[in-house]
């Protein structure tokens, strides 16, 4: 029953955010806080002794960069710089903090997923300040200024939760056992963020009166990048880590990249791509959870 509630919660987030977009869009200020809370809960339960990078983690990180930079390069070479920026936000995003939650629900290798998530967040935080200024087709500020601004934004939503979790574990070591019990709390914050993201996306589309002609390339590109990520991850991790790698390459921290895509330095229309990606990868999550629940019920029935 709880698995069905989780799947329905993801679908409901889009419906509620889309219908009441004017109201929920006003809560955009909450997004970095929601990200920080989710990551703090995840980080607090990490046993650093168990964070053992494997060779497969390297392939996962390379896969993220290939999909992100590859889709960007293809669109840029085809003469579509705004689409290229949009696809970069979709493909190069780090693994979502919700990925270990989904893997736990799917009864997968939680240690592998958590390690991959932490490594991808760190890689994104180090590389993005230097890469993003090169991605933007019309930057309105200097390269150095952009590097400093993006680095500051990433530090607020990545480094701060890590520091908070370390401080809490030093002050009260048993708190590391809270994380498994708080996984549904993380999911609650995640669904809340999805609702706000959906509202912001619909509200921005309504405000700017984007035409279907302007939006469909971004939406189609997001769908393709999402499908490539999930399918490539499934193939990469087959047979023992197929679900884990599929999640790692398809489940992206689009809340973080949407936060960045909504800044003044970004191209407004490029925001549409990651908005549609949020819908695509969460529908994939809902489907995976529903299928896993059906498989588990079938095994119990035997």
């Amino acid at each position: 029953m709880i698995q069905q509630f989780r799947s329905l919660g993801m679908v409901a987030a889009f419906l509620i955010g889309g219908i009441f977009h004017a109201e929920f869009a006003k809560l955009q200020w909450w997004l970095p806080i929601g990200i920080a809370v989710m990551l703090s809960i995840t980080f607090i339960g990490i046993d650093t002794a168990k964070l053992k990078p494997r060779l497969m983690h390297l392939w996962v990180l390379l896969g993220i960069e290939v999909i992100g930079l590859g889709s960007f390069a293809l669109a840029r070479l085809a003469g579509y710089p705004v689409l290229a920026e949009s696809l970069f936000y979709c493909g190069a995003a780090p693994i979502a903090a919700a990925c270990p939650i989904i893997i736990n629900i799917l009864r997968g290798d939680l240690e592998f997923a958590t390690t991959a998530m932490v490594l991808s967040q760190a890689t994104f935080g180090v590389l993005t300040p230097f890469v993003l200024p090169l991605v933007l087709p019309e930057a309105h500020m200097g390269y150095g200024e952009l590097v400093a601004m993006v680095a500051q934004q990433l530090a607020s939503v990545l480094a701060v939760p890590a520091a908070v979790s370390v401080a809490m574990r030093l002050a009260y070591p048993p708190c590391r056992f809270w994380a498994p019990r708080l996984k549904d709390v993380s999911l609650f914050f995640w669904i809340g963020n999805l609702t706000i993201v959906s509202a912001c996306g619909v509200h921005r589309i309504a405000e700017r009166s984007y035409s279907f002609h302007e939006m469909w390339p971004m939406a189609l590109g997001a769908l393709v990048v999402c499908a490539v990520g999930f399918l490539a991850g499934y193939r990469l991790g087959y047979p023992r880590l197929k679900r884990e790698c599929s999640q790692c390459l398809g489940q992206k921290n689009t809340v973080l990249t949407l936060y960045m895509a909504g800044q003044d330095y970004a191209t407004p229309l490029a925001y549409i791509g990651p908005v549609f990606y949020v819908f695509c990868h969460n529908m994939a999550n809902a489907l995976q959870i529903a299928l896993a629940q059906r498989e588990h019920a079938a095994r119990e029935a035997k």
Side-chain angles (χ1 to χ4, degrees), residues 32-53:
I33 299 175
I35 297 171
V37 171
M38 287 176 59
L39 286 176
S40 295
I41 292 174
T42 300
F43 290 161
I44 203 172
I46 292 176
D47 185 349
T48 54
K50 294 183 179 180
L51 290 179
K52 300 176 181 178

Side-chain angles (χ1 to χ4, degrees), residues 98-172:
C99 177
I101 300 172
I102 299 297
I103 291 299
N104 194 30
I105 294 171
L106 297 176
R107 294 175 171 83
D109 190 334
L110 181 60
E111 178 184 329
F112 177 89
T114 302
T115 304
M117 187 272 293
V118 173
L119 290 174
S120 73
Q121 300 281 358
T123 302
F124 186 81
V126 171
L127 294 181
T128 303
F130 302 100
V131 175
L132 185 59
L134 303 176
V135 171
L136 301 174
E138 296 181 6
H140 302 292
M141 58 184 69
Y143 179 82
E145 189 177 359
L146 266 173
V147 169
M149 180 177 294
V150 175
Q152 182 180 9
Q153 290 170 350
L154 289 175
S156 66
V157 293
L158 294 179
V160 171
V164 169
S165 63
V166 169
M168 290 183 65
R169 289 183 57 158
L170 288 175
Y172 186 65

Side-chain angles (χ1 to χ4, degrees), residues 16-67:
I16 295 172
I19 295 171
F20 302 102
H21 61 87
E23 292 77 13
F24 280 98
K26 297 176 183 178
L27 301 176
Q28 186 175 4
W29 56 269
W30 172 259
L31 289 178
I33 299 175
I35 297 171
V37 171
M38 287 176 59
L39 286 176
S40 295
I41 292 174
T42 300
F43 290 161
I44 203 172
I46 292 176
D47 185 349
T48 54
K50 294 183 179 180
L51 290 179
K52 300 176 181 178
R54 312 179 198 174
L55 179 60
M56 184 60 75
H57 286 120
L58 175 60
W59 289 114
V60 166
L61 295 177
L62 287 175
I64 292 173
E65 298 305 318
V66 167
I67 293 173

Side-chain angles (χ1 to χ4, degrees), residues 4-20 24 190-192 194-196 198-199 279 282-283 286:
Q4 295 175 348
F5 175 77
R6 289 160 177 160
S7 298
L8 291 174
M10 285 181 263
V11 177
F14 293 103
L15 294 176
I16 295 172
I19 295 171
F20 302 102
F24 280 98
W190 180 36
I191 291 175
L194 288 180
T195 305
I196 297 172
S198 301
F279 176 79
N282 281 290
M283 290 305 98

